[in-house]
Amino acid sequence: MGKPRLKKYETWSKDRLYKAAIDRVMNQAWTQSDAAVEYGISRQHLSGRIQKEREKRAGRVAEAKQQAAVGPLGINETRRIGTFTDFCDHYLQNWMCPDCGVHHETPGFHHEIAEAVTGDYRRVLINMPPYHSKSTLVTVWHTVYDICRDPNLRTLLVSKSLPFARTFMHSISEMLQNHDLYGDGPNPIVDWGPFKADGQSKWSSEQIYVSGRTTAEKDPTVAALGVGQQIYGRRADIIKFDDVATLDNQRNPDRVAGMLEWFDKEALSRIGKRGRAVWIGTRVNPGDVYSSLASRAGYKLLRYPCIMDDETEATLWPEHFPYDQALIHRSEMRPADFQLIYQQVDIPGVGASFTQDIIDLCKDTSRVRGQFDPAWRLFAGLDPAGGNKGSGYTAFTLVGIDAATGKRYLVDS
């Protein structure tokens, strides 16, 4: 057996420990010895499980290749293509990171996101810092994976604006047509295509219709639109909202409420009761749409901070976005903004009508909380919380009014 495991792993089950260790070895380049020591498990047993996992992955790839040669699919039949992670590891194994110039192994948090967007979740909300490939993974790669898996699926892509949504459509179209992207490596166009028949004209910057569909649905395979845009008769199986929140459209509560209303009444009505919706984006304000969505029942929520631990200088994706890079961005922003955008932490009071500076100027340091002049007239207000889980908190405020001067004083809150 390995050494006694660290205190933070004491409550973990054996399966969870081995699953985490296997991920470290197969996806994060750890040695089996280091992983066994980290999680306090048997090196020998870990080796056996890793071997089984490798055989399982190899079997999925072989099965996918065999299925590719079977022929036309039946109606509503999906291809046995393997998991989304297997698809990325197999077909994108030689792709280079444009920022780092190297190929990154799939990081652990990408595995978690992949599980969420392919799992049995009707609504998924993912908040994470910039520069962590959220759009590439979910909006582009997962859409291509879905098309390879089942050409009958229909996807709506929604972004902050139509021009921005078109950039995702361009990337998807390239992955479905351009053989040069894959070089001499495995090629999904060869294995699962062709996706665009010769002379087919139903491909544009806003919608595509792939070949091989066996349903009579008239809706495009993938369609792109800007948030708030009117949707004309389109239906979809999945809708992806990618970075729909901006400083401008989240500037005040009315705009936030308007976007939420568009989500609920316009966009989500297009996927029906069996459809799925995924939001992925970076926080912009404490009261933005993501904060409202996160409080809804039945939503799968994933939030990732950029800096995991300042003391050890650990970051979410150290190979791609190391600690020194995070420090640069932290030095360029207000602390509260960095905490929200990069750490997914709301700072109380940020974005309020009265800023902390204004409140500090009004503070009467000669009084303590609860102290008041007997000549004042006191007024109390109580806002009770509801009985639901997301109802918030009961709020109480006691205000004193000096009738002679008209000045108002906060006595307690």
Side-chain angles (χ1 to χ4, degrees), residues 64-93:
K65 289 183 177 180
Q66 181 180 6
Q67 181 65 21
V70 168
L73 297 174
I75 292 179
N76 297 326
E77 180 182 351
T78 58
R79 295 160 164 169
R80 292 171 291 175
I81 196 172
T83 68
F84 176 34
T85 301
D86 292 339
F87 179 87
C88 294
D89 290 343
H90 181 61
Y91 290 110
L92 310 177
Q93 58 184 274

Side-chain angles (χ1 to χ4, degrees), residues 26-44:
M26 300 192 68
N27 301 310
Q28 301 182 42
W30 282 39
T31 66
Q32 294 184 21
S33 297
D34 288 343
V37 170
E38 171 69 12
Y39 294 98
I41 56 180
S42 165
R43 164 71 173 76
Q44 182 178 358

Side-chain angles (χ1 to χ4, degrees), residues 257-303:
M259 183 176 288
L260 289 170
E261 184 178 26
W262 184 82
F263 287 162
D264 298 335
K265 294 183 178 180
E266 182 78 11
L268 295 180
S269 67
R270 304 297 161 170
I271 57 176
K273 65 179 183 179
R274 298 181 61 185
R276 302 174 63 239
V278 177
W279 286 263
I280 182 163
T282 298
R283 300 293 306 281
V284 295
N285 276 326
D288 59 22
V289 292
Y290 299 127
S291 63
S292 297
L293 294 171
S295 66
R296 292 184 172 184
Y299 278 53
K300 172 68 173 178
L301 176 62
L302 296 176
R303 280 182 171 168

Side-chain angles (χ1 to χ4, degrees), residues 99 109 127-135 243 281-284 304-307 316-317 320-321 325-326 329 333 337-344:
D99 297 319
F109 72 98
N127 288 137
M128 54 193 299
Y131 313 113
H132 283 70
S133 297
K134 60 184 183 298
S135 297
D243 268 334
T282 298
R283 300 293 306 281
V284 295
Y304 296 99
C306 175
I307 297 177
L316 178 62
W317 195 359
H320 175 68
F321 204 86
Q325 183 66 36
H329 291 275
M333 309 177 72
D337 290 338
F338 183 84
Q339 285 296 104
L340 179 69
I341 296 171
Y342 281 85
Q343 298 297 100
Q344 317 309 317

Side-chain angles (χ1 to χ4, degrees), residues 107-242:
F109 72 98
H110 275 195
H111 284 277
E112 294 175 358
I113 293 173
E115 181 181 356
V117 298
T118 58
D120 190 22
Y121 302 106
R122 300 280 299 284
R123 303 290 187 267
V124 179
L125 171 60
I126 305 166
N127 288 137
M128 54 193 299
Y131 313 113
H132 283 70
S133 297
K134 60 184 183 298
S135 297
T136 299
L137 180 70
V138 176
T139 308
V140 178
W141 291 359
H142 179 254
T143 301
V144 172
Y145 167 77
D146 261 353
I147 292 171
C148 293
R149 184 175 63 87
D150 184 359
N152 297 314
L153 286 174
R154 300 159 298 169
T155 302
L156 271 178
L157 305 180
V158 181
S159 192
K160 62 188 74 174
S161 66
L162 179 57
F164 206 85
R166 287 171 177 158
T167 64
F168 299 136
M169 184 67 77
H170 174 76
S171 298
I172 292 168
S173 298
E174 282 291 290
M175 290 186 69
L176 296 175
Q177 297 180 84
N178 189 352
H179 291 269
D180 294 339
L181 292 177
Y182 307 98
D184 296 328
N187 187 332
I189 305 173
V190 173
D191 291 347
W192 307 105
F195 300 103
K196 184 179 182 182
D198 292 339
Q200 187 173 359
S201 60
K202 290 187 176 182
W203 283 47
S204 70
S205 61
E206 296 178 22
Q207 62 183 29
I208 62 174
Y209 292 78
V210 301
S211 302
R213 301 208 308 179
T214 56
T215 65
E217 302 290 352
K218 60 179 175 51
D219 302 292
T221 306
V222 185
L225 62 151
V227 66
Q229 184 178 337
Q230 187 171 354
I231 307 175
Y232 295 97
R234 291 171 176 164
R235 295 286 172 180
D237 301 293
I238 181 171
I239 182 168
K240 297 177 180 178
F241 303 91
D242 189 302

